Amino acid sequence: DAKTTQPNSMESNEEEPVHLPCNHSTISGTDYIHWYRQLPSQGPEYVIHGLTSNVNNRMASLAIAEDRKSSTLILHRATLRDAAVYYCILRDERDSNYQLIWGAGTKLIIKP
Amino acid sequence: ETGVTQTPRHLVMGMTNKKSLKCEQHLGHNAMYWYKQSAKKPLELMFVYNFKEQTENNSVPSRFSPECPNSSHLFLHLHTLQPEDSALYLCASSRDRAVFEAFFGQGTRLTVV
């Protein structure tokens, strides 16, 4: 299974953009990149996913490098409610089990 | 509110007890999952049900027994657990196994004493 590497933690100021990096140098052509986040005392929450092109939704943007060996989750204007652990996960669409292999994630700390 | 409800939120049980965790979703989803989240470890997928059929058992010990009586309900029956089974147990659902977006409950914090 292709693995991802994320920083253990990051800090950002409230109302500023946040760029959360993820490295996945062994990604295969059929791996989709998923992002979930887990707020304190909550279950994980889907954020966004993509394959090759950059993606935007109401929560965030996903920027995928041209070689797909890295990606960045962008929160355009962080609020205190965005403080969470952010998980970057690959899922191989050839895998009939469609399993998500979770890592340790990045703990995002938002400073007021 | 994700639409996935887990009860109880907290559970303390002795090693000889039998208890059950309950998960309920009314999102019309056909796939349901049990995950285990231990301190300082990544989320681990335990069981998967798709259209009420168990499709995945990730080498989970038999002291954990899942049940899916219908597409809206999922149970995890627990018996003779060990202290190392103390963890946050999360239920999730998705429209089907292939979709990208899964919805998680808030979890049951289990402590085995």
Side-chain angles (χ1 to χ4, degrees), chain B residues 20-68:
Chain B
S20 296
L21 310 184
K22 179 182 177 182
C23 176
E24 187 172 354
Q25 58 90 7
H26 294 289
L27 300 169
H29 290 171
N30 296 304
M32 296 187 77
Y33 313 80
W34 280 116
Y35 281 88
K36 176 183 179 182
Q37 188 171 33
S38 305
K40 302 190 190 297
K41 289 179 70 175
L43 264 77
E44 301 170 71
L45 180 64
M46 300 175 71
F47 301 104
V48 181
Y49 278 81
N50 198 36
F51 292 91
K52 300 187 295 178
E53 297 295 320
Q54 185 176 317
T55 59
E56 195 76 20
N57 175 342
N58 275 356
S59 304
V60 179
S62 60
R63 57 186 183 268
F64 295 92
S65 174
E67 179 190 3
C68 188

Side-chain angles (χ1 to χ4, degrees), chain A:
Chain A
D1 297 318
K3 288 192 166 50
T4 62
T5 304
Q6 299 176 255
N8 290 334
S9 65
M10 289 183 62
E11 286 190 1
S12 184
N13 294 319
E14 195 177 11
E15 298 187 8
E16 290 186 357
V18 180
H19 291 236
L20 294 162
C22 181
N23 288 319
H24 27 78
S25 58
T26 59
I27 193 169
S28 74
T30 52
D31 284 329
Y32 274 79
I33 302 159
H34 299 246
W35 284 83
Y36 277 76
R37 71 179 185 180
Q38 188 170 18
L39 280 64
S41 302
Q42 301 288 324
E45 174 187 29
Y46 167 84
V47 178
I48 202 166
H49 76 272
L51 182 61
T52 56
S53 304
N54 294 343
V55 186
N56 300 297
N57 67 20
R58 62 175 179 80
M59 288 183 70
S61 296
L62 177 60
I64 300 173
E66 198 169 328
D67 63 6
R68 300 210 324 126
K69 293 184 185 299
S70 65
S71 59
T72 302
L73 181 71
I74 303 165
L75 306 179
H76 295 286
R77 192 165 167 270
T79 70
L80 295 176
R81 290 178 297 177
D82 292 318
V85 178
Y86 286 78
Y87 297 95
C88 171
I89 307 159
L90 300 183
R91 192 179 86 174
D92 189 349
E93 297 310 300
R94 295 170 303 178
D95 178 4
S96 60
N97 294 322
Y98 299 107
Q99 278 205 42
L100 297 173
I101 309 298
W102 299 72
T106 296
K107 182 175 183 178
L108 177 62
I109 298 165
I110 304 296
K111 296 181 290 185

